[in-house]
Amino acid sequence: MKYFILAGLFFISASILYSARYITSGMISLIENSVGGQLSSPQTLPLLIWSIILVVLGVLSILIGFFRKD
């Protein structure tokens, strides 16, 4: 059971990071439109990489939970 709870936490964290990536990009676009200039684009690739890592860890936790029958 603890592995399924851990997997849920991984998936929730991944979804927060993935949505933060789009929120950051959207906020920069809004600021660019209001200012009328070009701002330096933030690096959102690390957020994507960490969310993928967390999804993989979540899947591994589910598999461990099934195999260990906890």
Side-chain angles (χ1 to χ4, degrees):
M1 185 69 177
K2 61 184 171 185
Y3 292 105
F4 297 116
I5 294 172
L6 186 64
L9 291 175
F10 282 140
F11 288 133
I12 290 171
S13 300
S15 66
I16 290 171
L17 284 177
Y18 195 71
S19 62
R21 179 175 186 244
Y22 286 104
I23 291 171
T24 304
S25 298
M27 291 298 288
I28 291 297
S29 296
L30 285 174
I31 293 171
E32 284 178 348
N33 289 338
S34 66
V35 172
Q38 188 76 347
L39 297 175
S40 62
S41 176
Q43 294 293 326
T44 58
L45 188 62
L47 292 173
L48 177 65
I49 292 171
W50 277 109
S51 62
I52 291 171
I53 290 171
L54 287 172
V55 167
V56 169
L57 288 174
V59 170
L60 287 175
S61 295
I62 288 175
L63 291 175
I64 290 171
F66 278 132
F67 288 129
R68 295 193 76 188
K69 305 270 191 230
D70 258 348

